[in-house]
Amino acid sequence: MGKISDRCFQSSKACAARIFTGAGVDWFDLLTAALRLPDFVVVNQFTGKIIDQLFEIEHARGDPPAQWAVRHEEKVLSYHVCMALNTLIGDQLVQFAANAEVVKSSNVAKIYFPQTMTQEETALERQKYLCAADILSGIITSIDQGWVEILPYSEKLIFLRDWTGSYDFICPHFRQATFDHNIHLPYLKNADVPKSDHSYHFKRWCYFNYEGWREMDEHAAEQEFYSQGGQARDYPGEEEILRAYLSAKGRYVAPSKTAPLTEGFKKVVFGNKCLAVSDLISINRFRDFMEQENELYAKYRPQPAEQDDWRQCNQLDDIGTAPASVTWYDASAFAAAVSKVKKLPVRLPTEEEWLAITMEFRGTLQADTEGFPSSNQSRIVEKGERSADHGFFGTRYNCGEEDIPWERTKDDIAFLRSIDFGEWLLPIGAVINSRHLGAMNIAPLHFDPDQGAPNPKECDASVRWENRVSAERDRMSPSSTGAYKGMRIGFRLVYELE
């Protein structure tokens, strides 16, 4: 409904007479409709088997949809291509009235090309999708189900009538549901969500303040991401890309809250940004938070199997000064509590900020000494005992306090650098490995010889930095401490300085 509303009220396109929503129509229904059309063929993409009888479609319903495609002359419509054509940016799902003043009907597919592809390759790929759109338009025109008629009533009200005769309506800025102010339930209640949570503010702004054609902006944001050199391994998610795009265009301005430098934080300057950065939160500090400072959060906090047991990873007999291992929700609740008590706009760092803070670590990476992708000798985490209550394991440190591999930056910020230790970041679920500086959830491809790594004796890792998988791209479950992978995930806080 929201997409139909935007197409009708926010776009400059001519008003459609009918729009195909696909309601009540699945892929095999489209195959059936195609089989009734002359010169349309249904074929198995893997075996080459051709279906020419309607009853065979019913037998094929037990197969994965991607097996079957529609051919018409030299054009092909596959299941996955059809998904990319499910958009109202183009006109493949639209019919105009016979007397409508349409300059030119155009088909659009939501497909995006990295800069590694040549112009010839992108042109061929785009043409394949546009030809498939012609097939899709021909098929859906032949059926009644899934269509809604557009019945304008006034400049700000349009009625919709579907194929059964049922009615609905749309208006400008139509929303499917009321806004959910707590986007992290049941893991966090409102009181335990940091007010500096960028994700929450952007979602709220999009719901109440956004002006424009949302689907078109999302499409433009994706195109911009790849045109600027973005790759699948760097992909941070649709919301993050849209936020960056609207920010760059000056249409969205994130709230900027600053505060003076205070005890427990150190100043870090990079680019045009000035941050206050804490050290990692210790086991002792986190236990105090859970047991004395926020008993309400500790009481409602989901337990295994919904969320890892914090006690199993922060035991009294472990190294109390070493970093705590927590879930992303625990880290956020801690940040919210610090924000209230100290009146500071604290939050978790972004990946861009974390990499800027640790810039000197990047230059010292050496593929021949790091032991990637793993090395038992460099590991500091071991599996703890199984809980008698819920059967899950925790983690603990396997070394003494003096053996914790601390390293400090030029700004005197302490980092525990180990192959099995990471830090939580923004957005939700992003974890960066403290040793190889890539996504915690995947092997460091920037050290893989098959990924174009140079001679192992070369110290400069920047040559293969383009192979690194972003922490925003390959995230972990925010309800995990990393224990199921034999890892620990800690956190630190940052805020912007005046």
PDB file of all heavy atoms in Angstrom, residues 455-474:
ATOM      1  N   ASN A 455      53.087 -11.232  -1.375  1.00  0.00           N
ATOM      2  CA  ASN A 455      54.057 -12.070  -0.681  1.00  0.00           C
ATOM      3  C   ASN A 455      53.873 -11.922   0.825  1.00  0.00           C
ATOM      4  O   ASN A 455      53.803 -10.804   1.335  1.00  0.00           O
ATOM      5  CB  ASN A 455      55.469 -11.635  -1.078  1.00  0.00           C
ATOM      6  CG  ASN A 455      56.521 -12.592  -0.559  1.00  0.00           C
ATOM      7  OD1 ASN A 455      56.525 -12.915   0.625  1.00  0.00           O
ATOM      8  ND2 ASN A 455      57.400 -13.035  -1.441  1.00  0.00           N
ATOM      9  N   PRO A 456      53.770 -13.038   1.585  1.00  0.00           N
ATOM     10  CA  PRO A 456      53.538 -12.958   3.029  1.00  0.00           C
ATOM     11  C   PRO A 456      54.569 -12.131   3.775  1.00  0.00           C
ATOM     12  O   PRO A 456      54.293 -11.644   4.866  1.00  0.00           O
ATOM     13  CB  PRO A 456      53.586 -14.421   3.468  1.00  0.00           C
ATOM     14  CG  PRO A 456      53.249 -15.196   2.248  1.00  0.00           C
ATOM     15  CD  PRO A 456      53.823 -14.421   1.106  1.00  0.00           C
ATOM     16  N   LYS A 457      55.773 -11.940   3.212  1.00  0.00           N
ATOM     17  CA  LYS A 457      56.794 -11.187   3.909  1.00  0.00           C
ATOM     18  C   LYS A 457      56.551  -9.688   3.848  1.00  0.00           C
ATOM     19  O   LYS A 457      57.189  -8.914   4.554  1.00  0.00           O
ATOM     20  CB  LYS A 457      58.168 -11.513   3.324  1.00  0.00           C
ATOM     21  CG  LYS A 457      58.592 -12.957   3.576  1.00  0.00           C
ATOM     22  CD  LYS A 457      59.994 -13.219   3.060  1.00  0.00           C
ATOM     23  CE  LYS A 457      60.419 -14.665   3.342  1.00  0.00           C
ATOM     24  NZ  LYS A 457      61.787 -14.934   2.837  1.00  0.00           N
ATOM     25  N   GLU A 458      55.617  -9.291   3.002  1.00  0.00           N
ATOM     26  CA  GLU A 458      55.295  -7.868   2.911  1.00  0.00           C
ATOM     27  C   GLU A 458      54.418  -7.468   4.077  1.00  0.00           C
ATOM     28  O   GLU A 458      53.422  -8.126   4.376  1.00  0.00           O
ATOM     29  CB  GLU A 458      54.602  -7.562   1.583  1.00  0.00           C
ATOM     30  CG  GLU A 458      55.487  -7.843   0.366  1.00  0.00           C
ATOM     31  CD  GLU A 458      54.781  -7.464  -0.922  1.00  0.00           C
ATOM     32  OE1 GLU A 458      53.846  -6.647  -0.850  1.00  0.00           O
ATOM     33  OE2 GLU A 458      55.172  -7.963  -1.982  1.00  0.00           O
ATOM     34  N   CYS A 459      54.767  -6.374   4.726  1.00  0.00           N
ATOM     35  CA  CYS A 459      54.052  -5.964   5.938  1.00  0.00           C
ATOM     36  C   CYS A 459      52.812  -5.141   5.636  1.00  0.00           C
ATOM     37  O   CYS A 459      51.888  -5.101   6.433  1.00  0.00           O
ATOM     38  CB  CYS A 459      54.976  -5.160   6.855  1.00  0.00           C
ATOM     39  SG  CYS A 459      56.399  -6.108   7.448  1.00  0.00           S
ATOM     40  N   ASP A 460      52.793  -4.439   4.549  1.00  0.00           N
ATOM     41  CA  ASP A 460      51.709  -3.508   4.253  1.00  0.00           C
ATOM     42  C   ASP A 460      50.467  -4.250   3.816  1.00  0.00           C
ATOM     43  O   ASP A 460      50.404  -4.826   2.743  1.00  0.00           O
ATOM     44  CB  ASP A 460      52.144  -2.543   3.157  1.00  0.00           C
ATOM     45  CG  ASP A 460      51.102  -1.468   2.928  1.00  0.00           C
ATOM     46  OD1 ASP A 460      50.130  -1.424   3.708  1.00  0.00           O
ATOM     47  OD2 ASP A 460      51.260  -0.674   1.994  1.00  0.00           O
ATOM     48  N   ALA A 461      49.447  -4.252   4.693  1.00  0.00           N
ATOM     49  CA  ALA A 461      48.214  -4.964   4.387  1.00  0.00           C
ATOM     50  C   ALA A 461      47.290  -4.149   3.495  1.00  0.00           C
ATOM     51  O   ALA A 461      46.295  -4.659   3.008  1.00  0.00           O
ATOM     52  CB  ALA A 461      47.485  -5.333   5.670  1.00  0.00           C
ATOM     53  N   SER A 462      47.597  -2.864   3.282  1.00  0.00           N
ATOM     54  CA  SER A 462      46.694  -2.013   2.522  1.00  0.00           C
ATOM     55  C   SER A 462      46.557  -2.469   1.078  1.00  0.00           C
ATOM     56  O   SER A 462      45.567  -2.180   0.430  1.00  0.00           O
ATOM     57  CB  SER A 462      47.176  -0.560   2.576  1.00  0.00           C
ATOM     58  OG  SER A 462      48.447  -0.439   1.967  1.00  0.00           O
ATOM     59  N   VAL A 463      47.559  -3.207   0.585  1.00  0.00           N
ATOM     60  CA  VAL A 463      47.508  -3.674  -0.790  1.00  0.00           C
ATOM     61  C   VAL A 463      46.304  -4.574  -1.007  1.00  0.00           C
ATOM     62  O   VAL A 463      45.675  -4.557  -2.051  1.00  0.00           O
ATOM     63  CB  VAL A 463      48.815  -4.425  -1.154  1.00  0.00           C
ATOM     64  CG1 VAL A 463      48.738  -4.985  -2.562  1.00  0.00           C
ATOM     65  CG2 VAL A 463      50.015  -3.504  -0.997  1.00  0.00           C
ATOM     66  N   ARG A 464      45.926  -5.350  -0.021  1.00  0.00           N
ATOM     67  CA  ARG A 464      44.812  -6.283  -0.127  1.00  0.00           C
ATOM     68  C   ARG A 464      43.617  -5.867   0.757  1.00  0.00           C
ATOM     69  O   ARG A 464      42.750  -6.670   1.057  1.00  0.00           O
ATOM     70  CB  ARG A 464      45.268  -7.692   0.225  1.00  0.00           C
ATOM     71  CG  ARG A 464      46.025  -7.804   1.558  1.00  0.00           C
ATOM     72  CD  ARG A 464      46.819  -9.107   1.609  1.00  0.00           C
ATOM     73  NE  ARG A 464      47.528  -9.293   2.853  1.00  0.00           N
ATOM     74  CZ  ARG A 464      48.741  -8.799   3.119  1.00  0.00           C
ATOM     75  NH1 ARG A 464      49.358  -8.055   2.225  1.00  0.00           N
ATOM     76  NH2 ARG A 464      49.337  -9.041   4.268  1.00  0.00           N
ATOM     77  N   TRP A 465      43.619  -4.635   1.208  1.00  0.00           N
ATOM     78  CA  TRP A 465      42.534  -4.148   2.070  1.00  0.00           C
ATOM     79  C   TRP A 465      41.183  -4.185   1.359  1.00  0.00           C
ATOM     80  O   TRP A 465      40.145  -4.303   1.998  1.00  0.00           O
ATOM     81  CB  TRP A 465      42.855  -2.722   2.518  1.00  0.00           C
ATOM     82  CG  TRP A 465      42.007  -2.219   3.638  1.00  0.00           C
ATOM     83  CD1 TRP A 465      41.023  -1.287   3.561  1.00  0.00           C
ATOM     84  CD2 TRP A 465      42.055  -2.626   5.006  1.00  0.00           C
ATOM     85  NE1 TRP A 465      40.459  -1.072   4.793  1.00  0.00           N
ATOM     86  CE2 TRP A 465      41.082  -1.876   5.707  1.00  0.00           C
ATOM     87  CE3 TRP A 465      42.834  -3.544   5.720  1.00  0.00           C
ATOM     88  CZ2 TRP A 465      40.861  -2.023   7.068  1.00  0.00           C
ATOM     89  CZ3 TRP A 465      42.613  -3.686   7.088  1.00  0.00           C
ATOM     90  CH2 TRP A 465      41.640  -2.942   7.748  1.00  0.00           C
ATOM     91  N   GLU A 466      41.206  -4.103   0.032  1.00  0.00           N
ATOM     92  CA  GLU A 466      39.944  -4.129  -0.709  1.00  0.00           C
ATOM     93  C   GLU A 466      39.243  -5.470  -0.606  1.00  0.00           C
ATOM     94  O   GLU A 466      38.056  -5.589  -0.920  1.00  0.00           O
ATOM     95  CB  GLU A 466      40.188  -3.788  -2.182  1.00  0.00           C
ATOM     96  CG  GLU A 466      40.976  -4.828  -2.964  1.00  0.00           C
ATOM     97  CD  GLU A 466      42.474  -4.656  -2.832  1.00  0.00           C
ATOM     98  OE1 GLU A 466      42.915  -3.817  -2.004  1.00  0.00           O
ATOM     99  OE2 GLU A 466      43.219  -5.339  -3.554  1.00  0.00           O
ATOM    100  N   ASN A 467      39.944  -6.519  -0.159  1.00  0.00           N
ATOM    101  CA  ASN A 467      39.335  -7.838   0.008  1.00  0.00           C
ATOM    102  C   ASN A 467      38.712  -8.032   1.390  1.00  0.00           C
ATOM    103  O   ASN A 467      38.100  -9.064   1.651  1.00  0.00           O
ATOM    104  CB  ASN A 467      40.383  -8.938  -0.210  1.00  0.00           C
ATOM    105  CG  ASN A 467      40.873  -8.977  -1.639  1.00  0.00           C
ATOM    106  OD1 ASN A 467      40.127  -8.664  -2.564  1.00  0.00           O
ATOM    107  ND2 ASN A 467      42.126  -9.331  -1.836  1.00  0.00           N
ATOM    108  N   ARG A 468      38.894  -7.052   2.249  1.00  0.00           N
ATOM    109  CA  ARG A 468      38.370  -7.149   3.605  1.00  0.00           C
ATOM    110  C   ARG A 468      36.841  -7.121   3.604  1.00  0.00           C
ATOM    111  O   ARG A 468      36.217  -6.330   2.907  1.00  0.00           O
ATOM    112  CB  ARG A 468      38.908  -5.977   4.421  1.00  0.00           C
ATOM    113  CG  ARG A 468      38.292  -5.816   5.797  1.00  0.00           C
ATOM    114  CD  ARG A 468      38.814  -4.534   6.449  1.00  0.00           C
ATOM    115  NE  ARG A 468      38.023  -4.195   7.606  1.00  0.00           N
ATOM    116  CZ  ARG A 468      36.893  -3.504   7.569  1.00  0.00           C
ATOM    117  NH1 ARG A 468      36.426  -3.082   6.409  1.00  0.00           N
ATOM    118  NH2 ARG A 468      36.233  -3.237   8.673  1.00  0.00           N
ATOM    119  N   VAL A 469      36.227  -7.979   4.431  1.00  0.00           N
ATOM    120  CA  VAL A 469      34.773  -8.001   4.573  1.00  0.00           C
ATOM    121  C   VAL A 469      34.380  -7.078   5.723  1.00  0.00           C
ATOM    122  O   VAL A 469      34.880  -7.214   6.844  1.00  0.00           O
ATOM    123  CB  VAL A 469      34.250  -9.423   4.839  1.00  0.00           C
ATOM    124  CG1 VAL A 469      32.730  -9.409   5.033  1.00  0.00           C
ATOM    125  CG2 VAL A 469      34.623 -10.349   3.682  1.00  0.00           C
ATOM    126  N   SER A 470      33.494  -6.155   5.455  1.00  0.00           N
ATOM    127  CA  SER A 470      33.075  -5.172   6.446  1.00  0.00           C
ATOM    128  C   SER A 470      32.295  -5.815   7.587  1.00  0.00           C
ATOM    129  O   SER A 470      31.515  -6.744   7.388  1.00  0.00           O
ATOM    130  CB  SER A 470      32.215  -4.106   5.767  1.00  0.00           C
ATOM    131  OG  SER A 470      31.518  -3.328   6.708  1.00  0.00           O
ATOM    132  N   ALA A 471      32.479  -5.286   8.794  1.00  0.00           N
ATOM    133  CA  ALA A 471      31.720  -5.744   9.958  1.00  0.00           C
ATOM    134  C   ALA A 471      30.246  -5.407   9.805  1.00  0.00           C
ATOM    135  O   ALA A 471      29.377  -6.102  10.337  1.00  0.00           O
ATOM    136  CB  ALA A 471      32.272  -5.112  11.229  1.00  0.00           C
ATOM    137  N   GLU A 472      29.943  -4.346   9.074  1.00  0.00           N
ATOM    138  CA  GLU A 472      28.548  -3.991   8.831  1.00  0.00           C
ATOM    139  C   GLU A 472      27.897  -4.958   7.861  1.00  0.00           C
ATOM    140  O   GLU A 472      26.683  -5.163   7.901  1.00  0.00           O
ATOM    141  CB  GLU A 472      28.461  -2.563   8.273  1.00  0.00           C
ATOM    142  CG  GLU A 472      28.874  -1.486   9.260  1.00  0.00           C
ATOM    143  CD  GLU A 472      28.695  -0.092   8.687  1.00  0.00           C
ATOM    144  OE1 GLU A 472      28.349   0.003   7.485  1.00  0.00           O
ATOM    145  OE2 GLU A 472      28.888   0.892   9.414  1.00  0.00           O
ATOM    146  N   ARG A 473      28.699  -5.549   6.979  1.00  0.00           N
ATOM    147  CA  ARG A 473      28.167  -6.459   5.969  1.00  0.00           C
ATOM    148  C   ARG A 473      27.876  -7.839   6.553  1.00  0.00           C
ATOM    149  O   ARG A 473      26.829  -8.420   6.308  1.00  0.00           O
ATOM    150  CB  ARG A 473      29.174  -6.590   4.812  1.00  0.00           C
ATOM    151  CG  ARG A 473      28.847  -7.698   3.808  1.00  0.00           C
ATOM    152  CD  ARG A 473      27.536  -7.429   3.111  1.00  0.00           C
ATOM    153  NE  ARG A 473      27.240  -8.440   2.120  1.00  0.00           N
ATOM    154  CZ  ARG A 473      26.651  -9.592   2.380  1.00  0.00           C
ATOM    155  NH1 ARG A 473      26.294  -9.881   3.635  1.00  0.00           N
ATOM    156  NH2 ARG A 473      26.383 -10.456   1.423  1.00  0.00           N
ATOM    157  N   ASP A 474      28.818  -8.391   7.315  1.00  0.00           N
ATOM    158  CA  ASP A 474      28.669  -9.748   7.832  1.00  0.00           C
ATOM    159  C   ASP A 474      28.522  -9.678   9.346  1.00  0.00           C
ATOM    160  O   ASP A 474      29.489  -9.749  10.103  1.00  0.00           O
ATOM    161  CB  ASP A 474      29.886 -10.603   7.453  1.00  0.00           C
ATOM    162  CG  ASP A 474      29.539 -12.077   7.383  1.00  0.00           C
ATOM    163  OD1 ASP A 474      28.979 -12.580   8.364  1.00  0.00           O
ATOM    164  OD2 ASP A 474      29.817 -12.702   6.355  1.00  0.00           O
TER     165      ASP A 474
END
